Amino acid sequence: MEVIMVRSIRSRAAGAALLATVLVTSGCIKSGMETNDAGAAEAKSGEITVAVLQKQGDQQYFVDEAQGAQEKADELGDIDVNVINLGTDSNKAINEVDNVIAQGVDGIIIVVPDTQIGPQVIDAARNAGIPLLAADDAIKGGDGKAAPFVGFDGTAMGEEVGTEAAKLYTEAGWTPENTKIIAAWKQDLQTCNDRVAGAQAAFSEATGGAMPEIIEIGTDNSATDAQNKAGAVLTSNSDVQNWVVWGCNDENQTGVVTALQNGGISAQNIIGVGLGGYLTCKDWQAGQESGNKAALFISGYEVGSSAMDVMNTAIREGEALPAETIANTNIVDPTNWEESGLVCT
């Protein structure tokens, strides 16, 4: 389903403030020419065309990201944006990169379905002399050099999730003897591996190494798959009193929490910390008691907006793209999610 959600004026204002922070905070942007970026051959004026190719384009995070890119383009002016949903099809991603190159686009922003196609898409853009910017999932060329990147630091994101989960776990007075952790993610995606590893490391550090047993669930990163896989886990662990849940994204975390609650586990015995916030906050919005206790708010809107901004600058000024642009994140819970600008879906 291809849907473009309309954000409230308040959340757009919050987004604009966050974007300003992203772009000016010291250390948020690291400039560098030694990338696989072909750069712009010369500064270009007038109308330009930027292709935005996204995996899972119907997922709310990426819907927001496309909207952020489009609205930044509207703000900057003279930018035609071509948004393409790649789903989870790597072959489609490669073909669409070839297609937009043939159409003569001036820049490509891509979220790859699989990082293994990095060399193919980077080489295609470089050979055509078109700047390519990776969003969300970092990719490398055949020479091992990373493409310019806009998104989040996966390990740091996971660490924030793990630290929050450990805080809630300690406050609840739970112990390794009466608790298990479920970690759910797409295990062949490096970004997800980084996030989950970060969560585990931070939880262990915060609890002095006294870790409950971790049950790892491989999923396709959807809520449905996470819920189905977690249901089987619950059946074989019916004696567990308390559960801590984290994953690569909100879909994984909320899917597992739903399975636990459907299986008869009380919300009081679940500490779920999401990553994204857009699904985790649904129960908070409805005023329902929930095992979704907190989330790391990451804004796809800001990533899309930032990506379009740096791409436009590179094309207009004939400069190489910044090597890395890292967006900010923050923990939200039922008490502060609305003021953060988070939009529930």
Side-chain angles (χ1 to χ4, degrees):
M1 179 177 62
E2 304 267 358
V3 182
I4 298 296
M5 301 294 291
V6 179
R7 296 168 65 94
S8 68
I9 293 175
R10 175 182 61 77
S11 41
R12 285 183 185 170
L18 177 57
L19 177 58
T21 302
V22 170
L23 295 178
V24 304
T25 299
S26 175
C28 283
I29 297 181
K30 305 173 185 177
S31 296
M33 302 296 184
E34 295 183 2
T35 71
N36 279 346
D37 174 41
E42 59 183 29
K44 182 169 183 178
S45 59
E47 186 173 72
I48 62 174
T49 301
V50 177
V52 179
L53 283 62
Q54 298 178 306
K55 71 176 182 183
Q56 297 175 294
D58 57 350
Q59 188 182 96
Q60 188 58 47
Y61 174 87
F62 295 113
V63 170
D64 290 344
E65 186 171 271
Q67 186 179 358
Q70 181 64 66
E71 292 190 4
K72 174 54 70 172
D74 293 343
E75 175 190 326
L76 294 168
D78 287 331
I79 304 176
D80 180 30
V81 181
N82 181 12
V83 178
I84 300 172
N85 180 9
L86 304 174
T88 58
D89 190 338
S90 293
N91 289 327
K92 179 176 174 63
I94 294 169
N95 291 335
E96 291 293 354
V97 167
D98 290 338
N99 288 340
V100 298
I101 289 173
Q103 291 164 13
V105 298
D106 298 288
I108 299 171
I109 299 169
I110 186 169
V111 186
V112 295
D114 187 336
T115 56
Q116 292 184 20
I117 68 171
Q120 292 155 282
V121 299
I122 289 172
D123 287 348
R126 180 177 57 203
N127 292 338
I130 296 173
L132 180 141
L133 181 62
D136 299 296
D137 295 329
I139 54 176
K140 294 182 179 180
D143 56 6
K145 292 184 179 180
F149 172 78
V150 174
F152 302 98
D153 183 325
T155 300
M157 291 164 67
E159 289 171 349
E160 290 190 70
V161 169
T163 297
E164 180 68 11
K167 178 177 78 72
L168 295 172
Y169 164 87
T170 301
E171 290 174 352
W174 296 358
T175 68
E177 290 71 34
N178 62 21
T179 306
K180 286 190 179 182
I181 298 170
I182 293 181
W185 77 103
K186 192 173 189 296
Q187 297 177 345
D188 61 353
L189 188 59
Q190 188 57 48
T191 302
C192 287
N193 291 334
D194 292 343
R195 294 175 183 181
V196 172
Q200 180 176 336
F203 190 99
S204 178
E205 180 178 356
T207 57
M211 291 282 294
E213 178 186 344
I214 298 179
I215 299 174
E216 299 180 346
I217 298 177
T219 74
D220 62 7
N221 271 356
S222 71
T224 299
D225 196 41
Q227 182 175 340
N228 291 339
K229 299 284 179 59
V233 168
L234 183 58
T235 299
S236 59
N237 290 273
S238 57
D239 59 335
V240 177
Q241 181 181 350
N242 303 310
W243 293 93
V244 175
V245 182
W246 60 62
C248 179
N249 55 17
D250 255 26
E251 282 76 9
N252 278 289
Q253 188 269 147
T254 58
V256 172
V257 168
T258 297
L260 293 174
Q261 293 186 168
N262 288 348
I265 304 298
S266 169
Q268 296 180 349
N269 298 103
I270 304 171
I271 293 173
V273 181
L275 202 158
Y278 47 88
L279 295 180
T280 307
C281 65
K282 291 178 70 173
D283 289 343
W284 308 340
Q285 186 178 48
Q288 298 176 347
E289 186 178 18
S290 170
N292 298 312
K293 296 300 195 300
L296 182 68
F297 175 31
I298 61 173
S299 173
Y301 184 92
E302 307 313 327
V303 171
S305 182
S306 297
M308 186 60 65
D309 191 57
V310 298
M311 178 62 76
N312 177 73
T313 299
I315 294 170
R316 300 297 187 192
E317 298 183 6
E319 297 179 350
L321 290 158
E324 191 173 63
T325 305
I326 302 299
N328 292 334
T329 60
N330 60 288
I331 292 289
V332 294
D333 60 30
T335 69
N336 67 0
W337 71 272
E338 289 183 287
E339 65 191 54
S340 74
L342 173 61
V343 177
C344 288
T345 60

